[in-house]
């Protein structure tokens, strides 16, 4: 398992380096062939990792791993004074903190680490910096999305990229490695490093291989998101300092340990609020949410197809992912009192505003970019419902939006390659010329609209359903997105695909329908859309333990519901209860595994 | 050992789904011209299975009690005794006037397919849930679908998208069957959308026609407005009940408890459900998509936009009657919407020239009748049973006579070279005898001619509205509704026969598209026409006055109970007079030799224009909704590009400006650096000195 994960992380990076070092002047054919082999190999590796991933975690706490590898590379004397006991009554009563039974109660001496697995240093006076990789269902799902989309990204660039091919494909591979890294990183330093690292290859991809205004677009994208990230960095550093001085944990950069420590001893609400706002700045720009979204349409229009696919498919989800990993588990009071209303308001504005902007576009790619803003609004609405339904819906939305939008951008790229325009003023009635491609575009549009039976619906209904339990008004406004998305996407279908054939000036009789290569890029995505729509439980099962661990911070588990689930899924309930019963043994097992791995 | 009930239930959706997959994949490449065969075969299978469900599964699903078992055992025999089980149960369920249910209590037969999702407290299973109401819908849907598919195999012959058409059609039947068989609200929503998708695909079948593409989008988007209501209703249901299963949500005892505690909540849920129903069933004010939907091939209009899909809204409200009975407000709205729709659509139908649009508006109007009936229970909960029964009964008879009318119209269109404008042909009686006679049967049934099916069902609706005027607090309101119902009945007879006379009587004229010798329906088209025409004539008489239908539907679990309805002779006479009056009026204007000849040149009066343009509702919506939305969208786009983005750019300028301001300091002159250094030294010295001073 460990070997596989490392192979999955390193393979694209090594492939990229090899390509640049050994064959930097490779022809397009050689470069793309090599890149395709590398991405397919990574895809296979990621699926084998997924098959070996345990169904549940042996750990307790809001952030858990089902596989992990940690290595302490630096131990420092703690700069913090001896921790003091915090008055819990001063904290917001809004949060009902579900004390999970498996959580060992260590209130007597808070200087001791909360989880025995973190007890590397005998006293709390040392802090450890770690190289900490881990995997849970959420990370696994995102990695599968990344590796899948990267194969499509290579395939759709096949004939689009003709210059400096080796560098281009190396960029895509490095991007893939960086993205996999983000989803594996369980250490804040590592997380931030990977998070920022992904900017570089995309910046170059847009800046070198993009459209006419590529430099402006790339610069804006880079500076905007970097500025947000720096504010976030300030927040992350303060979070670490605050957490360490409050709880005295010895591994103050480890996300699971921090989350566990903060679950027992939350930060004061005021501190949480400031930290939340700082951290949210970076993630809100990344998502992007209204009003921080203006870089997105610009970048999509200028980016090459592969860049758009990866950007919309995975990069935007880093914002949502960050909220899920850091803000929601570690800053529960702020997430509930500040985060929920703030994000919900921005999200519903984003849904309506993004849809309205999308309707007015004539450039199909720009329209899809605006539709992303609307759809991610729904996603964030779900995440900040902070209950099991909403969180699951938000995560589903992340995956499904990645699949559907990745496919949409690929299809638009294919049309662009044929006609060198994406403008609805020049194109029309394409269904008569390229029926199969048009049929796929209709299909993916419906996935994006959220037609039941296709994947988009799952995320949409769960997100909105979750939000409705919390606040009806946000959910209702969010639900208007259901009408609006049909309104603008079907307009695109009507104008672009239906009606009499309209093509730009020139002879287009040679324009062919979907080629085999394009089919390989798009069919897997389309089938995944259908598969997840028909069998959403496959994805939901994967993320269920993670969602439960998060939701339990905010809502006490409902006894009735728990019993019901137990009755329905005896196998799952059993594994869960055995984990509870033998938690001590489990902890021992984990530490023994870890020591074994360190040797 | 699999049991026959499960197999039958599974076959109903599975057969059309398999056919749809075949048409979508294999038939796209080979056997294109025979793509209808698997579809017809699948629909026939589904129909047999549906009949099995109707006659065996549903009557057999009783709540376990020894007494109930002994009554149900003789049902297993088939053949000649097909009607027997119904009458058997009918005689053994003498629901008394006090509302007591003495017969065997029925439960739904449920076949679980798989767990679709389970998150937090939400569990959604895909199940096939059969009860009496479902069984009746299933038989109707599959029966009409089968006939329409046979008709279409000839009608669509030679079409470029032949397999695509049959694929979408089979997918539709699958979705419709699943919608009817759904066991929870989310499952309903899934297939509610799926039938909407099929409708979109089939309206846009001839996608190269801009009007068809526009109509398809309009249908989907307007439907989505209704879906917004249904979706919100589901959220509210889940929040209120913690479940979306019919069995949990529609439990009368629990609902009564809730209604006593929170009447506002029940009303909200009911109104949101109604919004969903209004969208799908094309009720005022969301009915504007249905007439445009006639851009699709005529068999589609007959099947989806007359007989089956558009009745889903009626079905939804009938299904959720346990919720609606607790909210008189919501029911009053239902009745009001129904009456408004019935009248508006009937008025609009008066002056249409497009034969299919006349029928489309008539569909809207008849659906309005069903809503009117469903809302009648606002007067008294005791009326709920009749209201629901008669709405569902009208749904059934309407499916038969409207399907035959549409298919006959399709036959006319086929013969006239796709011309459907009644100004361009007339006197087709001789040229198209089969079409003529079947259309006449349908028209008479629609007009409510005595003893034909439309007469029975419509009369019962008027009767239940009449009952509503006699009890409860809303007598005036229901008198108004009744008045509208009677007026609409007159208008219906008039516009139906106006269309009939304009098409089949008068001088024989064909448009040039038709060629010289228009041919009448081919056998594949004629047989469905005859069968449906026969049913349009006799179905009402067989099922209505004998109470077979009413007694069967009472087996639906949680169905409100009531005494069998008596004949309302007064209402019958009145509606007969109105029907004959309408037909007579149409004859006196259009049936005689001196009838007004239409031409494009003739100026229309104000009222004719209002009617022809559907009260200008499309234009009104365009001005009030579509155009403002487009403007708003342009404004948003402008704000985004020119304001929000510029603000971002302006913020981006701050470092440059700030840098520009400090830049003079780094001017490279040693003398100025020395001056600043001196200043610094002085400040440092001063502070040190102060510190020393304060210490000492």
């Amino acid at each position: 398992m460990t070997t596989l994960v490392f192979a999955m992380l390193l393979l694209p990076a090594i492939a990229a380096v090899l390509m640049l070092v050994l064959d930097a002047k490779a022809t397009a054919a050689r470069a793309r062939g090599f890149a395709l082999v590398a991405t397919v190999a990574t895809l296979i590796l990621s699926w084998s990792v997924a098959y070996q991933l345990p169904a549940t975690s042996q750990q307790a706490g809001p952030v858990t791993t089902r596989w992990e590898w940690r290595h302490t590379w630096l131990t420092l004397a703690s700069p913090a004074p001896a921790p003091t006991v915090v008055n819990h009554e001063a904290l917001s009563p809004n949060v009902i903190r579900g004390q999970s039974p498996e959580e060992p109660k260590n209130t007597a001496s808070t200087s001791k680490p909360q989880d025995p697995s973190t007890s590397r240093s005998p006293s709390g006076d040392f802090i450890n910096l770690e190289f900490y990789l881990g995997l849970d269902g959420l990370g696994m799902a995102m990695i599968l999305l990344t590796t899948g989309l990267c194969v499509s990204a290579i395939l759709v660039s096949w004939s689009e990229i003709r210059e400096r091919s080796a560098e281009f494909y190396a960029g895509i591979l490095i991007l893939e490695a960086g993205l996999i890294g983000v989803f594996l990183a369980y250490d804040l330093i590592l997380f931030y490093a990977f998070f920022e690292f992904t900017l570089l290859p995309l910046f170059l991809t847009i800046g070198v291989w993009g459209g006419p205004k590529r430099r402006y677009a790339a610069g804006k994208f880079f500076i905007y998101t970097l500025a947000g990230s720096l504010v976030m960095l300030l927040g992350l550093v303060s979070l670490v300092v605050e957490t360490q001085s409050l709880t005295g944990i010895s591994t103050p950069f480890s996300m699971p340990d921090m989350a566990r420590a903060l679950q027992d001893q939350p930060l004061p609400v005021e501190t949480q609020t400031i930290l939340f706002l700082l951290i949210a700045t970076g993630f809100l720009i990344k998502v992007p949410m209204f009003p921080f979204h203006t870089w997105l349409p610009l970048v999509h229009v200028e980016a090459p197809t592969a860049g758009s696919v990866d950007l919309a498919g995975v990069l935007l989800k880093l914002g949502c992912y960050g909220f899920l990993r850091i803000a929601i588990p570690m800053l529960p009071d702020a997430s509930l009192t500040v985060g929920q209303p703030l994000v919900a308001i921005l999200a519903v504005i984003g849904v309506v505003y993004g849809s309205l902007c999308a309707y007015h576009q004539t450039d199909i790619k720009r329209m899809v970019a605006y539709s992303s803003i609307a759809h991610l609004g729904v996603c964030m609405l779900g995440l900040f419902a902070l209950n099991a339904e909403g969180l699951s819906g938000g995560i589903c939305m992340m995956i499904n939006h990645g699949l559907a939008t990745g496919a949409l951008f690929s299809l638009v790229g294919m049309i662009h390659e044929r006609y060198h325009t994406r403008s609805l003023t020049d194109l029309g009635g394409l269904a008569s010329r390229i029926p199969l491609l048009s049929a796929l575009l209709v299909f993916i549009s419906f996935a994006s609209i959220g037609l039941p039976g296709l994947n988009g619906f799952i995320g949409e209904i769960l997100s909105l359903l979750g939000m409705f339990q919390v606040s009806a008004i946000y959910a209702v406004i969010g639900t208007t997105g259901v009408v609006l998305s049909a309104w603008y996407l079907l307009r695109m279908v009507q104008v672009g695909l239906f009606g009499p054939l309209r093509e730009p000036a020139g002879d287009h009789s040679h324009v062919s329908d979907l080629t085999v290569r394009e089919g390989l890029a798009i069919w897997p995505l389309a089938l995944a859309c259908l598969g997840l729509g028909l069998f959403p439980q496959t994805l939901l099962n994967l993320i269920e333990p993670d969602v439960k661990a998060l939701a339990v911070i905010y809502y006490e588990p409902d006894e009735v519901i728990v019993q019901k689930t137990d009755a329905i899924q005896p196998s799952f309930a059993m594994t869960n209860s055995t984990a509870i019963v033998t938690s001590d043994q489990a902890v021992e097992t984990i530490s023994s595994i870890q020591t074994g791995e360190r040797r | 050992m699999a049991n026959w009930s499960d197999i039958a239930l599974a076959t109903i959706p599975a057969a059309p789904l398999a056919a749809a997959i075949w048409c979508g994949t294999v038939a796209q490449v080979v056997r294109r011209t025979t793509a209808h065969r698997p579809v017809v075969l699948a629909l026939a299978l589904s129909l047999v299975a549906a009949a099995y469900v109707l006659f065996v599964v549903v009557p057999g699903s009783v709540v376990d009690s020894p007494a109930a078992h002994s009554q149900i055992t003789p049902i297993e025999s088939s053949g000649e005794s097909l009607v027997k089980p119904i009458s058997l149960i009918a005689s053994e369920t003498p629901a008394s006037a006090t509302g007591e249910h003495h017969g065997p209590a029925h439960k739904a037969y449920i076949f679980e397919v798989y767990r679709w999702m389970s998150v937090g407290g939400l569990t959604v299973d895909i199940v096939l849930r059969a009860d009496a109401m479902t069984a009746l819908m299933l038989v109707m849907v599959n029966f009409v679908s089968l006939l329409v598919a046979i008709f279409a195999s000839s009608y669509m012959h030679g079409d470029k998208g032949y397999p695509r058409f049959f694929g979408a059609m089979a997918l539709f039947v699958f979705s419709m069957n699943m919608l009817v068989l759904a066991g929870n609200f989310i499952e309903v929503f899934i297939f509610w959308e799926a039938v909407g998708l099929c409708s979109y695909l089939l309206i846009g079948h001839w996608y190269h026609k801009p009007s068809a593409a526009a109509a398809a989008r309009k249908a989907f988007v307007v439907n989505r407005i209704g879906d917004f209501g249904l979706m919100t209703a589901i959220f509210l249901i889940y929040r209120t009940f913690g479940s979306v299963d019919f069995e949990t949500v529609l439990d009368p005892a629990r609902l009564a408890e809730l209604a006593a505690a929170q009447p506002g909540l029940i009303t909200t849920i009911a109104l949101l459900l109604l919004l969903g129903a209004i969208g799908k069933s094309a009720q005022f004010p969301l009915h504007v998509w249905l007439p445009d939907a006639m851009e699709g091939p005529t068999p589609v209009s007959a099947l989806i936009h007359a007989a089956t899909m558009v009745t889903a809204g009626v079905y939804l409200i009938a299904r959720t009657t346990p919720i609606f009975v607790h909210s008189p407000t919501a029911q009053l709205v239902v009745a009001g919407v129904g009456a408004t729709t019935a009248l508006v659509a009937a008025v609009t139908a008066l002056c249409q020239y497009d034969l299919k649009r006349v029928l489309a508006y008539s569909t809207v109007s008849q659906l309005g009748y069903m809503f009117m009936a469903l809302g009648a229970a606002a007067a008294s909960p005791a009326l709920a049973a009749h209201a629901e029964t008669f709405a569902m009964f009208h749904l059934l008879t309407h499916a038969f006579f409207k399907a035959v009318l549409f298919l006959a119209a399709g036959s006319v269109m086929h013969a006239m070279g796709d011309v459907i404008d009644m100004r361009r042909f007339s006197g087709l009686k001789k040229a198209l005898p089969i079409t003529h006679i079947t259309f006449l049967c349908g028209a008479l049934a629609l007009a409510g001619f005595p003893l034909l099916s439309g007469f029975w069902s419509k009369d019962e609706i008027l009767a239940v509205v009449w009952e509503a005027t006699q009890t409860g607090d809303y007598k005036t309101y229901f008198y108004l509704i009744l008045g509208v119902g009677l007026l609409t009945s007159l208008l219906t007879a008039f516009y139906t026969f106006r269309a009939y006379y304009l098409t089949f009587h008068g001088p024989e004229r064909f448009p040039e598209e038709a060629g010289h010798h228009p041919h009448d329906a081919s056998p594949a088209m004629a047989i469905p026409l005859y069968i449906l025409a026969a049913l349009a004539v006799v179905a009402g008489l067989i099922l209505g006055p004998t109470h077979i239908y009413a007694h069967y539907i009472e087996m639906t679990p949680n169905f409100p109970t009531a005494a069998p309805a008596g004949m309302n002779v007064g209402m019958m006479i009145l509606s007969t007079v109105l029907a004959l009056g309408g037909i007579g009026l149409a004859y006196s204007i259009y049936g005689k030799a001196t009838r007004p000849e239409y031409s494009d040149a003739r100026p229309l009066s104000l009222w004719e224009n209002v009617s022809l343009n559907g009260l200008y509702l499309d234009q009104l919506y365009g001005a009030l909704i579509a155009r403002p939305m487009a403007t708003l969208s342009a404004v948003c786009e402008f704000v985004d590009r020119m304001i929000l983005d510029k603000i971002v750019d302006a913020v981006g300028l701050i470092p440059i400006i700030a840098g520009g301001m400090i830049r003079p300091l780094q001017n490279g002159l040693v003398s100025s650096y020395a001056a600043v250094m001196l200043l610094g030294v002085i400040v440092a010295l001063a502070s040190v000195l102060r510190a020393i001073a304060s210490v000492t």
Side-chain angles (χ1 to χ4, degrees), chain A residues 216 220 224 290-291 293-294 353 356-357 359-361 366 370 388-389 392 431-432 446 449-452 457-458 461-462 464-465 468-469 476 479-480 482-484 486-487 490-491 493-494 498-500 533-537 540 561 564 568, chain B residues 114-123 186 189-191 193-194 197 200-201 204 207-210 213-214 217 220-221 224-225 227-228 231-232 234-236 238-239 242-243 626 629-630 632-634 636-637 639-641 644-645 648-649:
Chain A
Y216 172 64
K220 187 165 188 168
Y224 202 160
F290 176 90
H293 63 271
T294 51
Y353 180 88
L356 284 171
C357 286
Y359 182 76
H360 194 71
Q361 305 306 323
R366 211 174 149 84
Y370 275 109
E389 293 90 347
S392 308
S432 311
F446 272 107
I449 287 170
L451 188 84
F457 176 66
I458 318 297
I461 194 159
L462 282 176
L464 295 168
L465 188 85
F468 197 90
Q469 314 302 311
V476 169
T479 311
T480 58
V482 168
V483 183
L484 293 173
W487 180 55
L490 290 187
R491 170 183 160 272
V493 168
Q494 183 197 339
F498 296 162
L534 295 178
F535 305 101
Q537 199 61 33
L540 292 169
I561 289 164
K564 206 165 111 194
I568 292 160
Chain B
Y114 72 107
R115 168 144 300 169
W116 191 61
M117 66 152 86
S118 165
V119 177
L122 176 72
T123 303
I186 290 192
F189 187 81
I190 292 172
F191 293 101
E193 291 283 285
L197 169 75
Y200 172 86
L201 294 175
Y207 54 78
H208 47 82
K209 266 167 68 185
R217 168 168 163 248
F220 197 86
V221 173
R224 275 251 151 172
I225 297 175
D227 299 343
F228 165 80
M231 209 170 182
T232 320
I234 292 172
F235 297 157
L236 195 55
Y238 177 63
R239 190 161 94 168
S243 169
M629 286 287 276
L632 191 62
S633 142
C636 278
E637 215 278 332
V639 168
D640 205 62
R641 224 158 15 92
L644 272 180
D645 200 34
V648 173
D649 283 351

Side-chain angles (χ1 to χ4, degrees), chain B residues 115-485:
Chain B
R115 168 144 300 169
W116 191 61
M117 66 152 86
S118 165
V119 177
L122 176 72
T123 303
V124 182
D125 292 322
I126 298 295
V127 299
L128 307 176
R129 178 189 182 280
D131 63 10
M133 197 191 287
T134 305
L136 289 167
M137 286 288 286
L138 282 176
V139 170
M140 184 276 277
V141 168
N142 289 295
F143 183 72
V144 177
S145 305
L146 177 62
L147 293 179
V148 170
I150 294 171
F151 182 91
S153 67
S154 169
Y155 184 86
M156 297 297 288
H157 187 76
D159 191 88
K160 233 177 81 189
Y162 196 72
R164 179 161 53 89
F165 174 83
F166 278 97
M169 191 108 155
L171 189 65
F172 167 77
V173 180
F174 159 73
S175 310
M176 190 70 203
N177 283 338
M178 285 301 290
L179 168 63
V180 176
L181 282 164
N184 60 61
F185 282 97
I186 290 192
E187 198 184 348
V188 165
F189 187 81
I190 292 172
F191 293 101
W192 185 268
E193 291 283 285
V195 291
L197 169 75
C198 299
S199 157
Y200 172 86
L201 294 175
L202 286 167
I203 296 170
H205 180 73
W206 292 310
Y207 54 78
H208 47 82
K209 266 167 68 185
S211 55
R217 168 168 163 248
K218 183 174 174 181
F220 197 86
V221 173
V222 173
N223 259 301
R224 275 251 151 172
I225 297 175
D227 299 343
F228 165 80
L230 183 55
M231 209 170 182
T232 320
I234 292 172
F235 297 157
L236 195 55
I237 285 171
Y238 177 63
R239 190 161 94 168
T240 312
F241 299 92
S243 169
V244 289
D245 284 342
F246 283 163
E247 257 63 28
T248 318
V249 177
L250 299 178
D251 177 22
R254 199 169 160 199
L255 276 167
E257 212 173 281
L258 192 71
Q262 290 172 287
L265 187 64
I266 293 281
T267 303
T268 315
I269 292 176
L271 287 177
L272 287 170
L273 287 172
L274 174 65
L275 179 56
I278 285 176
K280 194 60 83 196
S281 283
Q283 294 295 289
F284 180 85
L286 297 183
H287 65 280
V288 289
W289 65 270
L290 189 60
D292 287 15
M294 297 301 130
E295 287 294 338
T298 309
V300 172
S301 311
L303 177 61
I304 301 185
H305 303 119
T308 54
M309 185 188 84
V310 288
T311 60
V314 179
Y315 171 76
L316 179 73
I317 293 187
R319 174 60 74 199
T320 53
T321 299
I323 295 178
F324 276 87
V325 286
H326 291 295
S327 174
T329 320
Q331 285 181 314
L332 289 176
V333 178
V334 172
V337 165
T340 315
T341 311
L343 186 61
V344 165
V347 167
T348 311
L350 290 178
C351 297
Q352 299 297 319
Y353 297 118
D354 182 326
L355 178 56
K356 278 180 77 181
R357 283 179 91 88
V358 173
L359 297 177
Y361 279 111
S362 141
T363 304
V364 173
S365 176
Q366 295 303 306
L367 290 166
Y369 264 111
M370 299 174 207
F371 274 70
M372 228 190 276
L374 287 168
S380 150
L383 287 178
H386 290 172
E388 202 180 333
T389 309
F390 300 150
M392 293 302 288
F393 186 44
H394 195 53
L395 191 159
L396 180 78
T397 57
H398 174 256
F400 294 140
F401 61 70
K402 193 50 67 64
V404 73
L405 281 171
F406 264 114
L407 292 185
S411 178
V412 168
M413 209 168 155
H414 203 60
M416 294 295 115
D418 282 343
V419 173
I420 196 67
D421 189 331
M422 294 187 284
R423 286 171 292 192
R424 300 193 46 204
F425 51 71
S426 63
L428 305 183
K429 197 166 63 173
K430 284 201 198 82
L432 311 174
I434 304 171
T435 310
H436 168 242
I437 190 73
T438 49
F439 188 95
L440 183 60
C441 291
L444 285 171
L446 171 60
F449 192 80
L451 305 187
L452 268 59
S453 57
F455 168 77
W456 295 105
S457 54
K458 197 192 290 180
D459 170 66
E460 283 178 326
I461 287 177
L462 292 173
V464 78
V465 177
W466 166 256
E467 283 178 56
T469 61
Q470 300 305 304
T471 50
D473 304 330
Y474 311 104
K475 286 179 182 157
T476 330
Y477 186 77
F478 278 107
Y479 270 116
L480 197 65
I481 301 271
L482 183 64
V484 170

